Amino acid sequence: MGHFNIPSHLNPNMSIVDISDNKIQGPIPANICSVFPQLGRLNLSSNFLQGNIPPCLGNLKTMLMIDLSHNQLYGGIPEMSAQSDSLMFLRLSNNHLSGKITPTIFCSSSLKFLYLDGNKFDGNIPSIDISTFPYYSLSDIDLSNNNLSGELPRWIWNVSNLQTLAVSNNQLKGLIPVELCYLDSLKFLDLSKNNFFGPMPSCFHAQSIRHLHLSRNRLSGTLTNAFFNSSSLVTLDLSENQLTGEIPYKIGTLSALSVLLLKANYLVGEIPIDICKLYSLNIIDLSQNKLSGRIPSCLSHLTFEPSDGKSSTLDSTEVLGLVGIVDFGDFLRGANYFGITEFELFNFRVEEPFNLHASIHEQREEK
């Protein structure tokens, strides 16, 4: 463990500085830009650095990437750093940065990847007018785990090449804008753990979206027209909302679906037989609803094979730590999970015997 000491003399040929994953403490040297005037990549992540971010970093015309994540930096984002015309990648995640997010950080013509998650930023997400930019390149935005409030600004839904938007665990509110339907490049959307309310946009037909997390909000209405033309959808998490009605038979059209989480809503009716068409399904949680009727017998024939690197050695209780786990022994072990509560199990009738050893682990919690 030591301080970040740099030479006092000019090093014009140094373009990459990477001292990540060490135990360096203290401030980032204020003269770092004058010592390394041609710096293109700066990675100081996963240390114990403290203090403010040097404003001069935004003045370096050759700077492409800055990663200061997982430190103990405080203060805000320097205005000059936010105005860089060359910076493409900025990760300031998991520090103690605070205050309002400067609007200019979203106005860069070069920035493509912006990660400000895990800090103490507050206030509204700034409103800007991206129509004034000839080309807007921002594709990944992560503002999760802050103290942001207000509604999502409309300009976000006009970023045609947006691929990732994560704003979970803030205090955001309002309706989910209908403009969400037209983001053709969007692959990952996480609005969970906020105060969004109202119905989900019924026009959501995005073919590109793969992971959708809307849990722990106050979304209401039915699932009739939501998401069921999204053939590439891998994760659908709508748990802990106020959704009503039945699980639509159209759910069987989500051919790539691997994770289905509808826990803790007000869903009624039977589990549709079409759920058995989800051959890629690994994790399903329908617990804490008002479902009844028959459990489709085809669930006893699904292999629930782990997919895409999921470990087959994890116990089902380790996957999500959810309530009301029904553990069908080796049948649903590993990354494979089927959840209904003990109370709900008594309301179901199984069409055919599962011929499986079942044990119920009750970990009740308030809804």
Side-chain angles (χ1 to χ4, degrees):
M1 182 176 291
H3 284 72
F4 183 16
N5 297 315
I6 61 175
S8 57
H9 57 276
L10 181 68
N11 283 264
N13 297 321
M14 182 70 71
S15 62
I16 299 175
V17 172
D18 186 343
I19 54 171
S20 57
D21 294 292
N22 282 286
K23 297 181 179 180
I24 296 172
Q25 59 184 2
I28 301 173
N31 63 335
I32 187 171
C33 302
S34 58
V35 174
F36 305 125
Q38 299 299 317
L39 197 59
R41 298 183 183 183
L42 177 64
N43 188 353
L44 308 179
S45 62
S46 300
N47 283 289
F48 299 100
L49 294 171
Q50 299 172 327
N52 294 292
I53 299 172
C56 68
L57 292 176
N59 289 335
L60 295 177
K61 303 300 183 183
T62 55
M63 184 67 80
L64 300 175
M65 187 208 86
I66 297 176
D67 189 347
L68 307 180
S69 62
H70 298 276
N71 279 289
Q72 300 170 16
L73 300 171
Y74 49 79
I77 303 173
E79 191 77 18
M80 295 177 67
S81 296
Q83 294 176 343
S84 172
D85 292 328
S86 60
L87 192 63
M88 298 177 62
F89 181 101
L90 178 61
R91 189 190 298 274
L92 305 178
S93 312
N94 298 300
N95 279 284
H96 303 306
L97 301 174
S98 60
K100 305 293 189 292
I101 300 177
T102 176
T104 52
I105 197 70
F106 298 106
C107 297
S108 170
S109 60
S110 61
L111 193 63
K112 301 181 80 169
F113 306 99
L114 176 63
Y115 306 102
L116 304 179
D117 52 296
N119 283 288
K120 300 177 181 179
F121 292 115
D122 56 26
N124 294 349
I125 300 173
S127 293
I128 61 172
D129 183 6
I130 66 171
S131 64
T132 61
F133 301 104
Y135 179 74
Y136 196 73
S137 58
L138 198 59
S139 66
D140 285 30
I141 304 174
D142 191 348
L143 307 178
S144 56
N145 299 306
N146 279 286
N147 298 312
L148 299 172
S149 56
E151 298 185 359
L152 286 172
R154 290 284 178 176
W155 66 265
I156 288 180
W157 312 115
N158 295 322
V159 182
S160 59
N161 55 333
L162 189 65
Q163 297 185 27
T164 297
L165 176 63
V167 294
S168 65
N169 199 20
N170 280 287
Q171 302 171 37
L172 299 171
K173 62 181 181 179
L175 298 170
I176 297 178
V178 69
E179 287 87 352
L180 174 67
C181 307
Y182 310 117
L183 292 177
D184 295 332
S185 300
L186 192 65
K187 292 181 172 60
F188 183 97
L189 177 65
D190 190 352
L191 308 183
S192 61
K193 300 181 183 179
N194 280 288
N195 295 306
F196 292 107
F197 57 83
M200 290 174 293
S202 60
C203 64
F204 197 111
H205 302 315
Q207 295 297 315
S208 62
I209 194 158
R210 293 177 56 81
H211 303 283
L212 183 63
H213 299 268
L214 302 178
S215 65
R216 298 180 67 175
N217 281 287
R218 294 185 288 127
L219 301 176
S220 58
T222 67
L223 297 175
T224 304
N225 297 312
F227 314 116
F228 297 115
N229 282 330
S230 304
S231 58
S232 61
L233 195 62
V234 174
T235 303
L236 178 59
D237 185 359
L238 305 177
S239 56
E240 298 187 56
N241 278 288
Q242 300 170 14
L243 301 172
T244 57
E246 299 184 348
I247 301 174
Y249 71 90
K250 288 183 180 180
I251 199 166
T253 64
L254 301 177
S255 56
L257 197 65
S258 177
V259 178
L260 175 62
L261 305 177
L262 302 178
K263 167 193 169 183
N265 282 285
Y266 300 100
L267 301 174
V268 298
E270 297 189 358
I271 301 174
I273 192 69
D274 303 82
I275 210 165
C276 300
K277 298 177 182 178
L278 303 178
Y279 301 116
S280 299
L281 199 61
N282 286 306
I283 299 173
I284 176 172
D285 189 356
L286 309 179
S287 64
Q288 299 183 43
N289 280 285
K290 299 180 180 180
L291 299 171
S292 59
R294 295 180 174 181
I295 298 176
S297 61
C298 61
L299 287 178
S300 66
H301 305 304
L302 293 179
T303 59
F304 286 89
E305 290 293 333
S307 62
D308 295 331
K310 287 190 174 68
S311 171
S312 60
T313 60
L314 292 175
D315 183 77
S316 59
T317 58
E318 295 175 318
V319 177
L320 293 174
L322 295 175
V323 177
I325 297 171
V326 179
D327 181 6
F328 293 99
D330 291 335
F331 181 69
L332 298 181
R333 194 163 296 283
N336 312 319
Y337 173 90
F338 179 82
I340 53 179
T341 64
E342 182 178 15
F343 174 79
E344 292 165 329
L345 187 64
F346 293 145
N347 288 330
F348 284 105
R349 300 185 305 278
V350 181
E351 289 179 334
E352 296 178 4
F354 275 85
N355 295 322
L356 297 165
H357 173 69
S359 60
I360 299 174
H361 305 275
E362 271 306 310
Q363 303 174 18
R364 293 198 178 277
E365 65 181 20
E366 292 295 328
K367 181 175 177 180

